[in-house]
Amino acid sequence: MQKKALIIGCSGITGSALAVELRQQGWEVTGLSRGHSALPQGVKGLTADLTSAEQVAAALREQHPDAVFFTVWSRQENEKENIRVNGAIVRHVIDALGDRLSSSHVALVTGLKHYLGPFEAYGAAETVITPFREEQPRQPVDNFYYAQEDEIFAGAERYGYRWSVHRPHTVIGAAQGNAMNMGQTLAVYAALCREQGWPFIFPGSPEQWQGVSDVTDAGILARQLVWSTDAIDAQNAAFNIVNGEHFRWKWLWPRLAHYFGIEPADYSGSPTPLDARMQQANAQQLWVALAEKYQLETKEIDKLASWWHTDADLGRPFEAFTDMTKSRLAGFTDYQSTEQSFYKLFDQLIDKKIIPDFKRR
């Protein structure tokens, strides 16, 4: 029989890539969301306010999934509110499905803030040793990832399902309106630099510029999520998931510049955050003019670029990268070139007329 998947947050970077992967592997896919964004082709859509237990229960009344994937979060004004809201989202779905989950697999996507602490607590958490490993303990700070995990664990006790937790680094993939989208943000920034003649300045910290890093292609994350539903050694376990390639931004930045036909600026030795620079330059007005000139699909730059998140990721005052040994020993051995992750994304954005195709003009 055809397997059935339920994706919570199907229109984001991770959810949309996962939907495509599941469909390619023959799954029937249903997405539950607020209904604000289009779903990938072939996905059945269900709509509910995820913060409402009643709406979620009504939407899921007829669902009997073989696997449930949580790929969504709702950004709040502080971490205590993140904990309350995002923990409730997971709980509402699990309780709505209840005993129908008894033979299912439930997968939760979190991230490296499991090891680093949330954005507002960067630097306040206890020092951890890189590369990050799954057995490292939780940090003694408020963190909505922990609240979501606890809801997954509690649900497994109540309803008897299998679970897995997946911790990507920065996810590189395409999605509009996503709150954390560094690859697309850098593409928009590079397009503005090309059009305006700006220097392509690395916005982050010297530690990020010089230190070791990694990222997670949305495709490799999707493949690990699907793998976890059947792999014996993936049951009831947490896994890091990155491309498998370590790099330094000082190496990658000139390559990204070359793709767009622009010159990378010499690194100044200190952060020059994008958020403040784009506000000062009135990037929204500049993007409207650029979108009209090149007949792009979206004139609202805030639907494409998440300046604050890119500043947070690239501004860390320490290096951040992960270990994949646990995943590999369990049988997941996929690898993805990071350079090709970015180029693949940029090509997709050009094909969808999100950014200009400067090469063809």
Side-chain angles (χ1 to χ4, degrees), residues 140-190:
V141 295
D142 290 338
N143 193 326
F144 81 86
Y145 285 173
Y146 306 158
Q148 289 186 311
E149 283 188 345
D150 288 343
E151 294 292 348
I152 295 290
F153 303 155
E157 289 291 323
R158 290 196 300 273
Y159 304 119
Y161 57 74
R162 308 176 305 278
W163 58 266
S164 59
V165 176
H166 305 259
R167 299 170 184 161
H169 199 162
T170 302
V171 180
I172 305 302
Q176 289 194 39
N178 192 275
M180 300 192 297
N181 197 338
M182 185 177 74
Q184 192 164 283
T185 297
L186 293 180
V188 169
Y189 171 47

Side-chain angles (χ1 to χ4, degrees), residues 27-316:
W27 288 60
E28 177 184 316
V29 182
T30 299
L32 177 65
S33 69
R34 293 168 296 179
H36 294 169
S37 301
L39 299 180
Q41 185 175 5
V43 174
K44 176 186 177 182
L46 298 175
T47 302
D49 176 355
L50 300 179
T51 66
S52 167
E54 293 76 15
Q55 288 192 33
V56 171
L60 298 181
R61 187 170 291 120
E62 304 299 324
Q63 296 299 305
H64 293 78
D66 296 292
V68 180
F69 303 92
F70 287 94
T71 67
V72 65
W73 76 293
S74 177
R75 187 186 182 199
Q76 305 299 309
E77 62 183 16
N78 57 58
E79 197 61 17
K80 290 189 181 300
E81 278 299 291
N82 278 334
I83 289 170
R84 183 184 69 81
V85 171
N86 291 284
I89 287 173
V90 174
R91 183 171 63 254
H92 293 164
V93 172
I94 290 173
D95 286 345
L97 293 168
D99 291 332
R100 283 171 281 161
L101 289 171
S102 61
S103 60
S104 301
H105 184 94
V106 176
L108 170 68
V109 178
T110 60
L112 293 200
K113 290 190 290 297
H114 181 91
Y115 308 109
L116 297 169
F119 288 123
E120 66 187 49
Y122 266 15
E126 292 182 354
T127 301
V128 292
I129 299 173
T130 52
F132 302 127
R133 299 177 187 271
E134 294 90 344
E135 66 268 21
Q136 291 175 206
R138 291 179 174 183
Q139 296 294 326
V141 295
D142 290 338
N143 193 326
F144 81 86
Y145 285 173
Y146 306 158
Q148 289 186 311
E149 283 188 345
D150 288 343
E151 294 292 348
I152 295 290
F153 303 155
E157 289 291 323
R158 290 196 300 273
Y159 304 119
Y161 57 74
R162 308 176 305 278
W163 58 266
S164 59
V165 176
H166 305 259
R167 299 170 184 161
H169 199 162
T170 302
V171 180
I172 305 302
Q176 289 194 39
N178 192 275
M180 300 192 297
N181 197 338
M182 185 177 74
Q184 192 164 283
T185 297
L186 293 180
V188 169
Y189 171 47
L192 285 171
C193 287
R194 171 70 182 260
E195 186 71 8
Q196 301 297 322
W198 296 343
F200 190 53
I201 299 170
F202 180 74
S205 68
E207 291 84 358
Q208 287 293 300
W209 179 252
Q210 297 280 359
V212 177
S213 189
D214 51 26
V215 296
T216 304
D217 188 276
I220 200 171
L221 172 53
R223 293 192 294 276
Q224 192 193 59
L225 284 164
V226 180
W227 163 81
S228 73
T229 64
D230 287 326
I232 294 174
D233 291 336
Q235 306 308 308
N236 305 328
F239 295 98
N240 293 331
I241 174 61
V242 291
N243 285 355
E245 174 192 17
H246 296 142
F247 67 91
R248 301 177 196 275
W249 279 101
K250 64 185 294 184
W251 169 84
L252 182 60
W253 196 251
R255 285 162 171 78
L256 302 187
H258 178 74
Y259 179 97
F260 289 97
I262 55 181
E263 289 296 321
D266 292 336
Y267 183 59
S268 68
S270 60
T272 53
L274 286 168
D275 199 5
R277 289 167 54 202
M278 293 303 105
Q279 289 187 38
Q280 185 176 11
N282 198 355
Q284 172 58 61
Q285 183 176 341
L286 295 176
W287 188 259
V288 168
L290 185 148
E292 291 176 348
K293 177 179 177 180
Y294 295 102
Q295 298 181 324
L296 303 181
E297 288 294 320
T298 304
K299 296 181 181 179
E300 297 174 74
I301 200 169
D302 288 343
K303 288 186 176 181
L304 304 176
S306 49
W307 309 117
W308 70 272
H309 171 257
T310 299
D311 286 339
D313 262 11
L314 298 182
R316 294 170 180 152

